Amino acid sequence: MSLIVAKFGGTSVADYEAMARCADIVLANPSTRLVVTSASSGVTNLLVALAQTGLPESQRLALLKQIAAIQYAIVDRLPHNDEVAAAIDSLLTRIDVVSQQLQHEADKALTDELLSLGERCASILFAAVFRAKGAVAEAFDVRQVLRTDSHFGKAEPQIGQIREFSQKLLLPGLASRLLVTQGFIGADADGHTTTLGRGGSDYSAALLAEALEAEALQIWTDVAGIYTTDPRLAPNARPIAEISFNEAAEMATFGAKILHPATILPAVRQQIQVFVGSSKASEKGGTWIRHQVNNPPVYRAVALRRDQTLMNLHSLQMLHSPGFLAETFATLARHKISVDLITTSEVNVALTLDKTGSQSSGQCLLTEALLQELSQHCRVRVEDNLALVAVIGNQIASTPGICQRVFSVLAPHNVRLICQGASSHNLCILVHEAEAADVVATLHRALFEAP
Ligand code: ADP
Ligand code: ASP
Ligand code: MG
């Protein structure tokens, strides 16, 4: 059986009309048997707001009301909707109960359960929209197959078990009906609900496509494919017809929100082609991500990742005693800090830390305990409000003239750090958050719009 997995993001399932458009896309191709859905647009943000402790009751009730309104706007459009309405009611009640519990005490496992309810509502509603169009469709609880560890908020998928459970519990059902399942969520070995991190539905879909050995994975979103940069930042950004796994993975890693950073890994492991297109305008085509592409260009795209922290460590010890860096990285590893970019000088090392995707906000990554431990052997300076801009391409490190072209247009800007040479696919610079959008637009003009 040839199988296509189709994932729809939040705006694609925002309301009844959007879901109906997506259903038409799926039903037009009988090979599309598994649908992975995000929560309807805005719902996860509302659930994150509800998960805060100590919310004034009026605010909690207002958030509940907004979530219910989004679900009910869809329920009300469905024919014969009693069963669906009852299922949604019971999930809304669960949202109410869990959010009340969280008011008294923060709890990571309960927070993940709360966040999972957006996708659970969407899958029930989306399956009903398919049935309203005459298809045989059901919602499938992905927690039966998407096994993760217990790292709530950013759980690690257990690939072997996901494959085993998907083959046993999900694949047989796909022969007789379309199944609509949830992105973003999973369950640990004790059956506790987990989440894969914000934007994780792309990753879920890729994991399921891998487990089911699908022929292709479709990511349907609100733009007609992967562009040369975020079209919101550069109005002249162009769609890319075909891109390699390597290039797409670099873009996702360096912040192109169009794909969750881990999405490409399962597709590479199983050699699954990925298509990215717009559910609002499927006729516009989109981007194919493939193992190999013809004539990969030197400049492929510009990506932006906001919310970066720069940590500068200064120590005279660095001059004479070997092992300073080893000690520093061991300390960071003990505190579960993953380092992103690094540059060093004689007595300084500068590193960037990525805060995006962490549910904890801002400086929380850098705990007092970590800073104290580091200050025992060096002076620590921390700078926030920075953004990472990456030029993504091919043979960047070995093509003459690239730095000249990039830096000549950045004269008005203060570049805080540069990383070039480690990968032939990127050149990264760190700039102040306030200048980031301008830097992206300027680079895009110079590299992609110049005659
Ligand atoms: P979904 O909810 O469907 O997962 P996202 O909002 O997560 O959608 O991702 C789509 C958004 O990604 C687009 O609206 C666009 O603003 C942003 N984006 C960032 N970089 C790019 C890029 N290079 N090409 C296309 N879109 C991009
Ligand atoms: N609903 C989740 C989020 O908003 C997951 C996703 O949309 O990919 O982060
Ligand atoms: Mg997304």
Side-chain angles (χ1 to χ4, degrees):
M1 179 173 69
S2 103
L3 170 69
I4 295 173
V5 175
K7 175 260 172 177
F8 293 89
T11 44
S12 300
V13 294
D15 51 31
Y16 182 86
E17 270 82 23
M19 282 188 179
R21 244 186 339 254
C22 297
D24 290 338
I25 293 174
V26 170
L27 296 173
N29 186 344
S31 295
T32 315
R33 310 292 310 155
L34 180 65
V35 171
V36 178
T37 186
S38 290
S40 298
S41 186
V43 171
T44 309
N45 286 347
L46 291 166
L47 291 167
V48 168
L50 259 186
Q52 291 167 269
T53 44
L55 273 182
E57 184 61 3
S58 59
Q59 209 174 323
R60 197 183 71 83
L61 293 175
L63 290 167
L64 283 175
K65 211 165 144 188
Q66 284 182 68
I67 293 170
I70 295 171
Q71 315 307 325
Y72 264 93
I74 304 172
V75 172
D76 290 343
R77 298 286 301 275
L78 291 164
H80 327 293
N81 62 9
D82 289 355
E83 248 178 67
V84 174
I88 293 295
D89 277 342
S90 86
L91 293 179
L92 290 172
T93 305
R94 190 70 198 144
I95 294 177
D96 186 8
V97 170
V98 176
S99 70
Q100 278 186 53
Q101 287 173 333
L102 282 168
Q103 290 315 297
H104 309 297
E105 197 180 355
D107 180 301
K108 286 185 170 169
L110 267 185
T111 300
D112 268 8
E113 193 196 333
L114 185 63
L115 297 193
S116 78
L117 284 149
E119 267 70 10
R120 286 159 65 194
C121 285
S123 58
I124 287 173
L125 295 167
F126 203 4
V129 171
F130 277 105
R131 289 196 296 274
K133 286 185 174 281
V136 183
E138 262 174 42
F140 177 87
D141 190 335
V142 84
R143 293 172 298 175
Q144 294 177 62
V145 298
L146 211 134
R147 172 64 61 81
T148 68
D149 68 5
S150 306
H151 187 171
F152 297 105
K154 204 164 188 1
E156 193 57 47
Q158 310 294 299
I159 316 292
Q161 284 171 315
I162 295 173
R163 178 180 289 269
E164 183 193 329
F165 300 150
S166 298
Q167 292 280 340
K168 199 162 75 190
L169 303 171
L170 180 54
L171 191 59
L174 294 173
S176 56
R177 58 203 184 283
L178 192 72
L179 293 176
V180 182
T181 198
Q182 307 83 25
F184 181 52
I185 74 172
D188 69 6
D190 299 325
H192 293 125
T193 302
T194 54
T195 63
L196 305 184
R198 294 302 305 267
S201 294
D202 301 330
Y203 190 23
S204 304
L207 288 164
L208 294 171
E210 177 188 30
L212 296 168
E213 297 174 16
E215 178 196 332
L217 165 65
Q218 300 174 343
I219 307 269
W220 293 99
T221 179
D222 58 358
V223 278
I226 301 181
Y227 281 55
T228 45
T229 193
D230 187 341
R232 288 177 212 222
L233 297 174
N236 292 326
R238 297 193 303 264
I240 300 167
E242 217 187 28
I243 190 170
S244 69
F245 280 136
N246 271 342
E247 295 167 304
E250 292 271 342
M251 286 182 74
T253 305
F254 286 111
K257 192 182 167 221
I258 183 99
L259 285 181
H260 179 276
T263 311
I264 300 297
L265 285 173
V268 172
R269 284 194 296 256
Q270 193 64 43
Q271 295 289 304
I272 301 169
Q273 303 189 58
V274 182
F275 174 81
V276 182
S278 163
S279 67
K280 284 188 189 139
S282 55
E283 73 290 349
K284 282 194 180 160
T287 303
W288 278 102
I289 312 175
R290 297 201 163 101
H291 182 52
Q292 257 181 340
V293 298
N294 292 324
N295 305 319
V298 174
Y299 302 111
R300 181 59 98 181
V302 180
L304 169 64
R305 199 166 69 189
R306 296 184 188 274
D307 223 0
Q308 307 298 295
T309 298
L310 178 66
M311 191 158 69
N312 199 307
L313 309 176
H314 169 87
S315 166
L316 292 177
Q317 258 184 57
M318 265 178 100
L319 260 184
H320 304 297
S321 66
F324 175 81
L325 286 181
E327 205 177 319
T328 304
F329 285 109
T331 306
L332 291 166
R334 263 198 310 281
H335 288 264
K336 301 214 171 340
I337 299 283
S338 136
V339 173
D340 217 27
L341 305 184
I342 311 168
T343 62
T344 60
S345 81
E346 267 181 312
V347 288
N348 287 289
V349 49
L351 6 122
T352 67
L353 313 174
D354 180 17
K355 292 185 300 196
T356 49
S358 60
Q359 274 175 14
S360 51
S361 68
Q363 287 245 326
C364 296
L365 269 180
L366 296 175
T367 56
E368 264 315 306
L370 167 69
L371 292 174
Q372 236 173 30
E373 205 173 314
L374 285 172
S375 13
Q376 276 162 20
H377 62 258
C378 58
R379 196 186 68 213
V380 185
R381 240 186 21 236
V382 174
E383 211 177 305
D384 261 322
N385 299 322
L386 294 163
L388 179 66
V389 178
V391 174
I392 312 289
N394 297 280
Q395 269 125 42
I396 294 220
S398 54
T399 306
I402 290 193
C403 287
Q404 205 272 337
R405 185 138 172 216
V406 166
F407 291 108
S408 64
V409 294
L410 295 181
H413 298 285
N414 173 203
V415 175
R416 283 293 291 109
L417 182 141
I418 303 168
C419 262
Q420 212 274 85
S423 154
S424 62
H425 289 294
N426 69 62
L427 184 165
C428 295
I429 59 173
L430 198 67
V431 296
H432 292 288
E433 179 86 50
E435 295 178 50
D438 204 18
V439 167
V440 170
T442 303
L443 279 174
H444 191 269
R445 266 196 306 279
L447 305 179
F448 297 93
E449 301 172 40

